[in-house]
Amino acid sequence: MQNATVVLSDRPLPDLRFAAECDCLAHLYGNAGDRPLRARVYATDLTDEEWQIVRRVMPVPGWLCGRGGNPEGFCHREMIDAVRYFVDNGIEVPRSFRTGTQ
């Protein structure tokens, strides 16, 4: 499966320093590159193969198409990982996010 990056013709090419970490549109064009990526440790996290399929069908955000709004500050892949975690585990909070536990 070939890795294709979405590049909008009316936008300048993105700063590819962050593309090595993640190739979601929030990293390429938005503000998600300002925060470090989390380690993928949960069984519900997307594999690289799954992410390549999902990212191709994700809609282009409105702010990239001139429809208003602000650039995202969170990685699209991490948001999907979070949704998959909560669907699988209900409302249980991961141990790494609990306060006062070790």
Side-chain angles (χ1 to χ4, degrees):
M1 207 177 282
Q2 187 177 12
N3 183 4
T5 300
V6 176
V7 177
L8 302 174
S9 59
D10 62 338
R11 296 282 177 191
L13 288 175
D15 183 353
L16 296 177
R17 288 178 295 164
F18 303 114
E21 295 178 9
C22 183
D23 58 354
C24 75
L25 293 176
H27 269 100
L28 294 175
Y29 293 101
N31 297 325
D34 295 344
R35 51 181 105 243
L37 289 177
R38 69 171 185 81
R40 306 207 182 289
V41 296
Y42 299 107
T44 54
D45 288 346
L46 289 169
T47 64
D48 290 337
E49 293 79 22
E50 290 172 326
W51 170 242
Q52 291 306 314
I53 294 168
V54 169
R55 101 181 228 293
R56 286 192 181 118
V57 297
M58 288 185 69
V60 175
W63 57 269
L64 274 175
C65 298
R67 294 192 310 255
N70 295 317
E72 285 106 339
F74 297 95
C75 175
H76 295 164
R77 183 174 180 171
E78 289 182 3
M79 288 191 288
I80 292 173
D81 286 344
V83 169
R84 286 172 50 127
Y85 180 89
F86 283 110
V87 166
D88 186 56
N89 295 294
I91 59 170
E92 179 183 338
V93 178
R95 180 173 293 258
S96 58
F97 290 107
R98 295 181 195 159
T99 57
T101 60
Q102 297 176 3

